[in-house]
């Protein structure tokens, strides 16, 4: 395996030889910018260094990485909010189901309550009596 030794230099170094240095075909040139980023260009044997397209720009990669991290945070926040909403909805459904069960039990307990409203207990004999109106006449009979 052959070792690859690219031509490297700071932007100012490349500018110093910009009119005279032409990278050979497939030769790699690495430029270190004043911001500390690396720009990599590949020679074609004809073009001057700054006329070659940049094939790697780690500043752009860092920018994309930050964007990706931002998008991932958005996705994670959305996922968290959806989980919380689902948990809240499930708790509400459980509470509603419990309330429905209680309402059913209360309705069952109330069956025949109208009849019971017309029922009285004689305090002397302790017997239950039903109060009714039949043909316009108020009647009391033993239950």
């Amino acid at each position: 395996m052959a070792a690859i030794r690219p031509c490297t230099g700071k932007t100012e170094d490349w500018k110093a030889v910009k009119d005279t240095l032409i990278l050979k075909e497939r030769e790699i040139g690495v430029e270190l910018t004043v911001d500390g980023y690396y720009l990599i260009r590949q020679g074609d044997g004809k073009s001057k260094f700054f006329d070659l397209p940049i094939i790697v720009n780690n500043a752009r990669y860092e920018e994309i990485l930050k964007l990706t991290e931002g998008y991932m945070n958005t996705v994670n926040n959305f996922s968290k909010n959806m989980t919380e909403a689902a948990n809240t909805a499930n708790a509400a459904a459980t509470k509603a189901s419990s309330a429905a069960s209680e309402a059913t039990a209360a309705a069952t307990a109330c069956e025949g309550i109208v009849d019971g409203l017309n029922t009285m207990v004689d305090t002397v004999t302790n017997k239950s009596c039903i109060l009714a109106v039949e043909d316009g006449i108020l009647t009391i009979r033993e239950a």
Side-chain angles (χ1 to χ4, degrees), residues 17-131:
V17 294
K18 69 180 179 180
D19 293 327
T20 57
L21 181 65
I22 294 178
L23 295 177
K24 296 175 188 165
E25 188 171 343
R26 295 180 19 177
E27 183 178 17
I28 301 295
V30 179
E31 173 188 357
L32 175 60
T33 68
V34 292
D35 297 327
Y37 296 114
Y38 291 95
L39 306 178
I40 300 175
R41 302 169 199 257
Q42 182 176 2
D44 62 6
K46 306 179 265 191
S47 303
K48 295 176 185 175
F49 183 75
F50 289 106
D51 293 336
L52 295 169
I54 297 170
I55 58 174
V56 175
N57 177 349
N58 76 326
R60 181 67 180 137
Y61 288 128
E62 289 182 22
E63 180 184 329
I64 291 169
L65 179 62
K66 286 179 185 177
L67 285 171
T68 302
E69 288 172 350
Y71 295 146
M72 287 307 299
N73 287 337
T74 300
V75 168
N76 289 337
N77 288 337
F78 177 77
S79 176
K80 179 184 169 195
N81 291 341
M82 290 304 294
T83 299
E84 289 174 1
N87 290 340
T88 301
N90 286 337
T94 299
K95 190 173 180 179
S97 178
S98 176
S101 294
E102 290 175 13
T104 300
T108 301
C110 290
E111 287 178 4
I113 198 165
V114 171
D115 294 335
L117 289 176
N118 295 335
T119 304
M120 296 184 258
V121 177
D122 185 332
T123 56
V124 176
T125 63
N126 211 22
K127 292 183 180 180
S128 293
C129 300
I130 296 176
L131 180 65

